[in-house]
Amino acid sequence: MAGIRIGGLASGMDIDQIVSDLMKAERMPLDKLTQKKQYLEWQRDDYRDMNKSLLEMDQLIFDGVLRKASFVQKTVSLSNPGALSIRNINSTADFSGTVQVNRLASAASMYSNGQSAIDPSKTMEGNGIDVQTLKIQAIGKDGNLGAAKEIKIESTDTIDMVISKINNQSDVSAYFDKATGKLSIISKNTGDIVGNSEISLDSDGNFWTAMNMDANSEAAIANNVGKGGVNASLTYNGMPIERPTNTFTINGVEFSLKAVTTEPVSFSSATNTDAIIETIVKFVDKYNSLIEKMKGELEEKRYRDFQPLTKEQKESMDEKEIERWEEKARSGTLRGDSVLSGAMNKMRLDLYSVVSGLVGKNQLAEIGIKTSSNYMDGGKLIIDQTKLKAALSENPNAVYDIFAKDGATTEEKGLGRRLRDTIKSTMLNIEKRAGKASSTNNAFTLGRNLTSIDSQINRFEDRLIKVEDRYWRQFTAMEKAIQKANSQSAYLMQQFS
């Protein structure tokens, strides 16, 4: 704790200002440490921002040119779109043919064989229904009988609560008509199970009996309180076939039946080159944007005369001056960085090299994508859309392989896979140097440097406190000596007078 400080009462000097000026000189090494810390923090943040851009590029490659679905997009023409819709799932070849819809698939259903005595306002216990487990078995999406679903009924449940449980926990939808006291059940899936019921009901209590429900849809049909499921019937390219649902897939193409027709519906497909080109354009634009950013960081000028501002310096400047100063002070944090320059060179090599193992087209130039002739662009890509469209129209699968072919070596891998490998290794190298938001300082190089600087700052601040105390002790001693001399002088003057 500092002792009593006498600020120039005897000497008439401005001791506060003198000590402050002396401490400014003493603080100069500390200011340099603080500025160095600020610069390292800027550098760390710029590295992490670069990693964010690399991650965005990685995700765009994965969701775009590496997805088979991006290259099998097709436009389908139909002579009667009101009766049928067709969507390509994974067929790489164009397709055509005819479909005549003879019958739509429908679901089995059944309802109460007479009015029940259920009071909707009462609980199961109030209606005399046991606490029990309902068992409901129904046709599945594949047209086969699914596993029985068990539903627990509590004594405190109302009929509305039971209906909700059935709808949420089984393969049927139930409805209780409070006006007639009847329960209806319909399968969630369409189709006919030959020789079996599409809906079967069981329980270890009296719920179904109380609802006057038959044991299954076959019994309900016999009692004229139900109907069976029906398969869709169609003639596909002249061949009669059946399916349990109105939506099904043939050879990677999804068909959805909408209405019965009296004559065949013709269909044909063509490669949707515009949609595929859009995917490739997004990839090229993102790559060019990344190259531009990396090139900008590597070539950004470093203004060594503009060091980060100290707190005292900021206090003497307005906001615009601070903004202009820090714009230059922060410039060039990644100038000439070896990790980024190495990544740029590797990315260029990834895209320009031939993909080995491919028959026919095996590099970007052959599908209309080449490098800019302006060396200032840093290797940006340019698309010849006419040539690219022709390549896609001829064989979209060949274009997909250029980007997405898998292989044991870099040479055998498609361009998109090569880029992802380079991006991931670059991000890992940057993380080793700058970490990520969740990293502790001792986990990466710049963090350890920042921790070291913090320790130096703390030690220097302790030293400054001691230096300032020493200055004040010295000036206080001087003030006391002057005060004592003044007192003696006054005493002598008094004696002589």
Side-chain angles (χ1 to χ4, degrees):
M1 186 175 178
I4 297 173
R5 293 174 174 177
I6 301 174
L9 293 176
S11 65
M13 295 187 296
D14 188 348
I15 304 301
D16 286 328
Q17 187 60 48
I18 294 173
V19 172
S20 176
D21 292 340
L22 289 171
M23 291 307 298
K24 283 181 181 178
E26 296 285 351
R27 277 187 170 275
M28 289 179 66
L30 178 62
D31 290 340
K32 291 186 180 297
L33 283 174
T34 304
Q35 289 171 327
K36 184 177 180 181
K37 177 184 177 182
Q38 177 64 79
Y39 187 79
L40 288 179
E41 288 175 343
W42 285 341
Q43 192 175 49
R44 175 201 63 193
D45 293 344
D46 289 344
Y47 270 125
R48 291 179 180 178
D49 184 58
M50 182 58 68
N51 251 7
K52 180 182 176 182
S53 297
L54 288 167
L55 178 61
E56 289 173 355
M57 183 71 201
D58 179 73
Q59 291 174 335
L60 185 134
I61 294 172
F62 180 77
D63 294 333
V65 294
L66 288 192
R67 290 185 62 201
K68 187 75 171 179
S70 300
F71 289 82
V72 296
Q73 300 184 70
K74 297 183 181 297
T75 55
V76 181
S77 300
L78 289 162
S79 62
N80 186 356
L84 176 70
S85 65
I86 298 177
R87 183 171 66 96
N88 185 44
I89 302 300
N90 54 22
S91 174
T92 56
D94 284 331
F95 48 86
S96 61
T98 61
V99 172
Q100 181 166 329
V101 184
N102 305 316
R103 182 181 63 226
L104 294 177
S106 62
S109 63
M110 54 191 295
Y111 56 94
S112 298
N113 191 357
Q115 185 172 355
S116 70
I118 294 292
D119 184 347
S121 65
K122 294 182 179 180
T123 63
M124 291 294 101
E125 184 178 21
N127 278 295
I129 305 297
D130 303 332
V131 175
Q132 58 187 280
T133 300
L134 304 182
K135 297 176 183 178
I136 304 175
Q137 192 172 20
I139 187 172
K141 292 180 179 179
D142 59 357
N144 297 315
L145 196 61
K149 303 296 176 65
E150 296 188 352
I151 302 165
K152 181 71 173 178
I153 292 181
E154 306 292 344
S155 61
T156 55
D157 286 346
T158 62
I159 186 64
D160 287 341
M161 294 167 69
V162 173
I163 296 300
S164 177
K165 287 182 178 180
I166 292 174
N167 291 338
N168 291 327
Q169 300 176 33
S170 74
D171 293 324
V172 302
S173 295
Y175 166 71
F176 181 75
D177 186 0
K178 296 178 182 179
T180 63
K182 292 184 177 182
L183 175 70
S184 73
I185 289 177
I186 185 169
S187 172
K188 291 179 180 178
N189 300 304
T190 57
D192 175 22
I193 303 177
V194 179
N196 210 334
S197 296
E198 286 82 49
I199 303 174
S200 296
L201 308 176
D202 195 7
S203 71
D204 55 9
N206 62 343
F207 178 80
W208 299 124
T209 303
M211 300 303 302
N212 289 322
M213 296 294 291
D214 291 309
N216 53 58
S217 54
E218 291 291 321
I221 293 170
N223 291 322
N224 294 318
V225 288
K227 67 175 184 177
V230 177
N231 288 337
S233 172
L234 61 147
T235 305
Y236 179 75
N237 288 343
M239 181 178 68
I241 60 174
E242 287 192 3
R243 291 290 185 271
T245 65
N246 291 315
T247 300
F248 49 87
T249 301
I250 298 177
N251 295 332
V253 180
E254 182 185 84
F255 294 81
S256 295
L257 309 183
K258 299 179 181 179
V260 173
T261 62
T262 56
E263 57 184 27
V265 178
S266 60
F267 63 88
S268 62
S269 76
T271 301
N272 188 351
T273 55
D274 290 339
I276 302 174
I277 287 175
E278 184 179 349
T279 298
I280 296 175
V281 167
K282 285 181 180 178
F283 163 77
V284 170
D285 287 346
K286 190 67 176 178
Y287 174 80
N288 288 343
S289 175
L290 180 62
I291 289 295
E292 183 177 352
K293 181 171 183 175
M294 295 176 77
K295 184 173 181 292
E297 293 287 0
L298 287 168
E299 297 177 355
E300 189 175 52
K301 186 175 180 180
R302 174 79 186 276
Y303 297 92
R304 297 187 181 277
D305 292 337
F306 289 80
Q307 294 299 316
L309 295 170
T310 63
K311 183 180 177 181
E312 291 75 13
Q313 288 172 328
K314 287 182 178 180
E315 289 174 353
S316 63
M317 302 167 68
D318 60 39
E319 290 186 7
K320 289 186 177 180
E321 288 176 326
I322 294 173
E323 184 179 344
R324 286 194 296 268
W325 183 283
E326 291 195 338
E327 182 180 347
K328 289 191 174 183
R330 188 165 184 165
S331 176
T333 55
L334 303 182
R335 179 178 175 83
D337 182 76
S338 59
V339 173
L340 296 187
S341 60
M344 273 191 69
N345 293 333
K346 183 66 169 63
M347 288 167 69
R348 292 186 190 123
L349 185 63
D350 289 338
L351 291 182
Y352 305 157
S353 303
V354 170
V355 180
S356 64
L358 290 181
V359 178
K361 295 178 173 60
N362 59 8
Q363 61 183 129
L364 284 181
E366 294 177 339
I367 61 172
I369 303 176
K370 61 182 182 179
T371 308
S372 169
S373 58
N374 185 353
Y375 78 96
M376 294 296 290
D377 288 339
K380 288 184 179 181
L381 300 176
I382 296 176
I383 300 177
D384 181 342
Q385 294 215 14
T386 302
K387 190 173 181 179
L388 177 58
K389 191 168 187 176
L392 289 169
S393 299
E394 178 187 345
N395 190 351
N397 206 45
V399 178
Y400 170 72
D401 285 340
I402 290 176
F403 287 102
K405 180 179 177 292
D406 204 357
T409 65
T410 300
E411 292 74 17
E412 294 173 339
K413 290 182 179 181
L415 309 184
R417 297 190 188 279
R418 294 178 188 175
L419 268 181
R420 291 195 79 202
D421 290 344
T422 299
I423 287 171
K424 286 176 181 177
S425 64
T426 302
M427 290 178 66
L428 184 61
N429 289 333
I430 288 177
E431 281 183 17
K432 289 179 180 177
R433 188 169 294 185
K436 49 189 177 182
S438 59
S439 301
T440 56
N441 274 357
N442 60 1
F444 57 97
T445 303
L446 289 180
R448 289 189 288 272
N449 291 343
L450 286 169
T451 298
S452 174
I453 290 175
D454 280 335
S455 298
Q456 294 178 56
I457 288 174
N458 290 335
R459 290 195 299 271
F460 205 92
E461 285 177 340
D462 290 340
R463 177 180 171 276
L464 287 178
I465 291 172
K466 294 175 182 178
V467 170
E468 187 175 8
D469 284 343
R470 175 168 57 81
Y471 280 137
W472 274 106
R473 286 197 303 272
Q474 291 171 339
F475 279 108
T476 298
M478 180 192 74
E479 289 291 324
K480 287 180 178 179
I482 292 173
Q483 178 64 31
K484 186 175 180 181
N486 287 343
S487 297
Q488 291 175 343
S489 175
Y491 175 76
L492 292 172
M493 290 294 293
Q494 184 179 11
Q495 295 300 319
F496 283 122
S497 63

